[in-house]
Amino acid sequence: MKYKIEDTVDKTGEPVSIWHSDCFVQNKELYTIYEKSIAFMMEKGWAMNPSGLIKSDHKVIFAENKDGRPMGGVVYEYHPWNKQGWIVLIFTADEFRGRHIYSLLQKALEDETIKLGGTSIASLAHKDNEPRIKAGAREGMHPQYLRLYKDLSNELEKRKTYMQIKLKKEWKDITKERWRG
């Protein structure tokens, strides 16, 4: 079900309608923008697991221009256990960048979160995704935690060899032990 949240204007003064939908994937144009955003983030190395981002119970708040064309959206879920609106992905179509569509979407999500009983919103952002971090900061979102990460791929063979020597076992036997009763 799709319903209008409000009519407003973007940074340039152009009319924008803000909508809410419980069924995100049925809007082909909006879903296409979402997919392009995922591809862009993958190319940049800013996405962790894009195929697992969207679930059937995710909702979307989205913006349309005066011609009814989707400008961007925020896919979200609400977490009642911590009273938080969780941004799964917030995105803007390339041709509408620089018009503060992000700001309109975040404000609408904040309002929806408050209506649901929430007290905060949150999301993940890659440390190198400067446009996302800048837009979030403009709207009052700041880092709460840092996710520490170490890539082990360059050490795998050396570490496996070390474990085999240390345990005096073949690798296939080491990996099987973990799954035994």
Side-chain angles (χ1 to χ4, degrees):
M1 179 175 131
K2 171 183 165 179
Y3 66 86
K4 188 181 281 190
I5 295 175
E6 71 175 321
D7 287 316
T8 186
V9 294
D10 66 16
K11 181 183 174 185
T12 67
E14 290 293 315
V16 176
S17 295
I18 306 296
W19 296 84
H20 185 280
S21 177
D22 292 337
C23 193
F24 168 56
V25 296
Q26 288 184 345
N27 185 324
K28 289 180 191 177
E29 288 181 271
L30 187 63
Y31 191 75
T32 300
I33 299 167
Y34 165 86
E35 287 290 330
K36 287 179 182 177
S37 297
I38 292 294
F40 175 78
M41 290 193 327
M42 288 295 294
E43 289 169 6
K44 293 282 195 178
W46 297 345
M48 292 188 304
N49 182 10
S51 61
L53 279 179
I54 193 159
K55 296 187 290 188
S56 63
D57 60 345
H58 284 157
K59 316 269 189 266
V60 65
I61 295 170
F62 60 100
E64 288 183 350
N65 71 359
K66 64 183 179 197
D67 300 322
R69 286 189 50 225
M71 303 170 82
V74 55
V75 177
Y76 76 96
E77 57 191 18
Y78 179 70
H79 299 161
W81 58 88
N82 65 352
K83 297 182 177 184
Q84 189 170 79
W86 181 258
I87 297 172
V88 175
L89 185 68
I90 191 165
F91 55 95
T92 303
D94 290 341
E95 63 267 31
F96 299 112
R97 292 191 184 279
R99 294 170 61 174
H100 287 200
I101 302 305
Y102 178 109
S103 300
L104 299 174
L105 295 169
Q106 181 171 316
K107 180 194 169 293
L109 175 62
E110 290 171 2
D111 289 348
E112 185 65 19
T113 298
I114 291 167
K115 288 177 194 173
L116 292 168
T119 59
S120 66
I121 63 168
S123 69
L124 293 175
H126 192 279
K127 68 179 183 63
D128 295 333
N129 188 345
E130 289 180 30
R132 169 69 174 90
I133 294 168
K134 182 180 173 184
R138 182 182 68 233
E139 299 308 317
M141 292 187 79
H142 302 285
Q144 182 181 22
Y145 300 99
L146 294 176
R147 178 179 180 261
L148 302 179
Y149 173 81
K150 179 180 180 181
D151 184 355
L152 299 174
S153 17
N154 292 332
E155 302 176 24
L156 289 179
E157 292 309 312
K158 181 179 173 184
R159 300 279 291 268
K160 287 178 182 179
T161 301
Y162 171 77
M163 285 186 251
Q164 289 177 78
I165 293 168
K166 179 180 171 184
L167 299 171
K168 298 178 183 161
K169 296 181 179 181
E170 293 292 318
W171 186 249
K172 63 183 171 101
D173 295 326
I174 293 170
T175 58
K176 285 182 185 175
E177 284 178 6
R178 181 165 195 256
W179 302 109
R180 289 189 185 146

